[in-house]
């Protein structure tokens, strides 16, 4: 049977008062009514709820939902040496915004960034918790570089920092580590650089499975080389990157894949039988038993109730693929 | 000479009494009529404030809106409203869900425009959430094509623009914060905004913010409006050099206040920003306003920022002898 996983983020609030504790907590922190420790405790309550929801939906490899991340860029980059955090910038083609990292000098890793968050999540999850990190080339591309004046030089130093973080996570027990490089859907010519940075990260991955995930578009043009990148699994957005479906059918893959086929950016619900059929059609070209099905990207772009429904659809598709297979 | 006219982008923070009333109303503990009364009170107060500090072109402050897209969608048939989705930080908004063919029930914002305009002799902007942004910020379960959904919104919003003009709006602003979302869709945006503004006699404005302007720069002169309203402070006035090389053939409303910062910009800093803008734009082409709507700031912060903006503008006018 094909496996199931998620990509990373998860809606951190819902529409019921119980689901809004974090929003209220941050507002109270801003007013000085609670301290950082109290907010951290609220974040952890939400992480447990997010783990529970993934578990109830039958997802096999889960994430902590990136509940404590301000955004995909500043949460990591902001804790590295020589990086400041600037004003808001649009995050790809979404209606979400990130605080732009500004690189003022040589970038380096100072101390674990995600380790506490990952350790807490894993200790509260029956399922393996995947550690998810934004990739060095995407970080380099979305930052404002005032020092290197070279995307490659910046990306390679960021890769060294990401590799340190991966090492810390793997030593703590992470069995799957995912590097997100959505920039490849916009700049496929960056694949060689992504591969070079992944080589550095792979050297520190220990026995964990290293995953390269791309989303927010298609990677059809570079698919064979992308699959050959130095990662154990490759994740693909097959919704916004619908063009990748046909490339995948044509080229196939000997490497296990994560097929992002449930639309994580639109509420419209998939008809599970139709999606399952398309997956089965790929059965001759890829190793479905070693692969995973997932949403097309992080679920935070959906309201919480819709995210839950999408997870259930994902589970149903996986079951239907498994039964027929 | 009418130099450096001051204006605002649209939203202002809601006073505490209105925020509380909205919460009560959403729980069903306050009637629509009672809420409307408080929304009118807050709107009248903001009109009075803008007059008092001497802003030239006013806005109604959007005291009756939750979110700019859902407010319009709630008044359009064929939509539902989703649960909360995060935008950034601790800011969440509800998104429209298109579930059927879009149809206008009737004028959407005209009543509020009339109410605000009746409280002042100065011009009040008519405010429309643009068709591209309405499409981009909606979930689409019906059209299955971004272009079809966008153009469907455009036709309805043209009717709204005409109704605002008929009600006396001398300025109609189309808000397109999603403008820079997908560069390959800029021709669609130009077409859709063109449908909205077609045949209008009012001065037309397009507001956008928080995008990579360098990539969309080539489209600025193609946008079918008389004035561009741009966020400039948050992005560090980076665009000025580009405007120097490639002149803008429209009016520009130049954001001199960062709406996402608690810091009240001192008058001297705002003067400096205006002077920088004046090295590129003529004083009649240049309008002065905040980067974006001020609703995310506290009432006190927003008012202090606006006061400094107007004072700085006056000081620049005086220094140049344009009073």
């Amino acid at each position: 049977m094909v496996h199931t996983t998620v990509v990373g983020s998860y809606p951190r609030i819902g529409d019921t008062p119980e689901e809004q504790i974090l929003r209220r907590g941050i507002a109270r922190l801003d007013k000085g009514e609670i301290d950082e420790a109290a907010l951290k405790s609220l974040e952890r309550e939400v992480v447990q709820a997010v783990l529970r929801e993934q578990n109830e939906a039958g997802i096999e490899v889960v994430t902590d939902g990136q509940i404590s991340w301000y955004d995909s860029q500043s949460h990591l980059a902001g804790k590295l040496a020589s990086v400041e955090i600037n004003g808001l910038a649009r995050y790809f083609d979404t209606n979400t915004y990130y605080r732009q990292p500004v690189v003022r000098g040589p970038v380096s890793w100072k101390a674990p960034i995600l380790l506490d968050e990952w350790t807490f999540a894993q200790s509260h999850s029956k399922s393996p918790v995947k550690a998810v990190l934004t990739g060095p080339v995407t970080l380099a591309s979305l930052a404002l570089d005032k020092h290197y004046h070279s995307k490659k030089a910046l990306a390679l130093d960021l890769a060294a920092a990401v590799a340190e973080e991966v090492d810390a996570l793997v030593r703590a027990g992470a069995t799957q580590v995912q590097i997100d490089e959505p920039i490849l859907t916009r700049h496929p010519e960056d694949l060689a650089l992504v591969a070079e940075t992944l080589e550095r990260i792979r050297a520190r991955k220990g026995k964990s499975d290293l995953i390269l995930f791309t989303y927010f578009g298609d990677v059809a043009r570079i698919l064979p080389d992308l699959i050959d990148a130095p990662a154990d699994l490759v994740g693909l957005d097959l919704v916004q990157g619908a063009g990748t479906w046909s490339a995948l059918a044509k080229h196939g893959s000997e490497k296990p894949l994560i097929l992002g086929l449930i639309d994580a950016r639109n509420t419209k619900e998939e008809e599970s039988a139709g999606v399952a059929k398309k997956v089965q059609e790929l059965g001759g070209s890829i190793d479905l038993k070693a692969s995973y099905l997932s949403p097309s990207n992080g679920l935070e772009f959906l309201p919480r109730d819709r995210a839950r429904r999408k997870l259930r659809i994902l589970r149903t598709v996986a079951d239907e693929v498994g039964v027929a297979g | 000479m009418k130099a450096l006219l001051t204006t605002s982008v649209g939203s202002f923070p809601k006073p505490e009494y209105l925020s509380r009333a909205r919460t009560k109303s959403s729980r069903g503990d306050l009637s629509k009529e009672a809420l409307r009364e408080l929304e009118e009170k807050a709107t009248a107060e903001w009109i009075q404030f803008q007059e008092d500090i001497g802003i030239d072109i006013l806005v109604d402050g959007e005291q009756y809106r939750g979110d700019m897209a859902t407010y319009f969608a709630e008044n359009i048939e064929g939509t539902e409203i989703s649960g909360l989705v995060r935008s950034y930080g601790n800011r969440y908004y509800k998104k429209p869900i298109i579930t059927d063919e879009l149809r206008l029930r009737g004028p959407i914002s005209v009543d509020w425009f009339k109410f605000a305009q009746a409280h002042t002799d100065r011009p009040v902007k008519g405010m429309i959430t643009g068709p591209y942004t309405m499409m981009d910020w909606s979930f689409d379960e019906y059209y299955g094509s971004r272009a079809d959904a966008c153009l469907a919104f455009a036709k309805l919003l043209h009717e709204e623009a005409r109704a605002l003009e008929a009600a006396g709006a001398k300025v109609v602003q189309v808000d397109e914060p999603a403008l820079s979302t997908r560069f390959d869709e800029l021709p669609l945006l130009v077409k859709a905004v063109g449908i909205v503004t077609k045949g209008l006699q009012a001065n037309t404005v397009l507001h956008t913010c928080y995008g990579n302007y360098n990539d969309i720069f080539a489209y600025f002169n193609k946008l079918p409006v008389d004035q561009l309203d741009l966020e400039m402070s948050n992005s560090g006035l980076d665009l000025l050099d580009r405007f120097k090389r490639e002149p803008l053939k429209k009016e520009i409303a130049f954001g001199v206040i960062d709406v996402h910062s608690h810091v009240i910009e001192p008058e001297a800093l705002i003067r400096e920003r205006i002077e920088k803008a004046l090295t590129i734009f003529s004083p009649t082409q240049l309008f002065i306003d905040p980067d974006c709507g001020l609703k995310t700031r506290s009432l006190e912060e927003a008012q202090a920022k606006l006061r400094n903006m107007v004072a700085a503008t006056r000081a620049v006018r005086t220094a140049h002898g344009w009073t």
Side-chain angles (χ1 to χ4, degrees), chain A residues 12-13 15 20 23 26-27 69-70 87-88 90 93 95-97 240 265-268 300-301 303 306, chain B residues 82-90 92-94 97 137 139-141 177-178 180-182 209-210 234 260:
Chain A
R12 53 192 78 185
I13 72 163
D15 289 298
Q20 299 204 351
R23 188 188 198 188
I26 293 171
W69 294 39
Y70 188 92
L88 292 171
R90 183 185 297 284
D93 59 347
N95 185 30
T96 67
Y97 299 81
Q240 208 172 340
R265 293 190 59 183
N266 196 5
T267 50
K268 186 168 187 178
E300 203 184 4
F301 303 100
R306 300 296 186 125
Chain B
S82 82
L84 291 161
V85 181
R86 197 164 79 105
S87 174
Y88 67 92
N90 207 26
Y92 293 82
Y93 69 117
K94 294 185 175 192
I97 305 177
W137 291 8
F139 295 118
D140 175 23
E141 300 188 5
S180 60
T181 309
R182 297 190 183 184
C209 47
Y210 307 109
N234 178 65
H260 291 295

Side-chain angles (χ1 to χ4, degrees), chain B residues 134-199:
Chain B
M134 286 300 298
M135 174 276 292
D136 189 65
W137 291 8
S138 298
F139 295 118
D140 175 23
E141 300 188 5
Y142 177 77
Y143 287 97
S145 146
R146 289 170 62 85
D148 289 352
C150 179
L151 297 176
F153 274 122
K155 285 175 194 151
L156 307 189
L157 295 170
H158 175 64
E159 296 305 315
E160 177 72 6
R162 298 278 298 248
L164 282 166
E165 193 175 65
K170 299 279 186 289
V171 181
V172 172
Q173 178 172 310
V174 180
D175 289 330
E176 288 286 14
L179 176 140
S180 60
T181 309
R182 297 190 183 184
F183 306 133
D184 59 332
E185 288 183 340
L186 283 167
L188 171 64
L189 179 134
V190 169
K191 183 175 176 184
V193 172
I195 291 171
V196 176
T197 57
K198 190 176 178 189

Side-chain angles (χ1 to χ4, degrees), chain B residues 74-86:
Chain B
E74 278 163 354
N75 291 287
I76 293 174
E77 278 181 41
T79 66
E80 293 172 8
I81 303 301
S82 82
L84 291 161
V85 181
R86 197 164 79 105

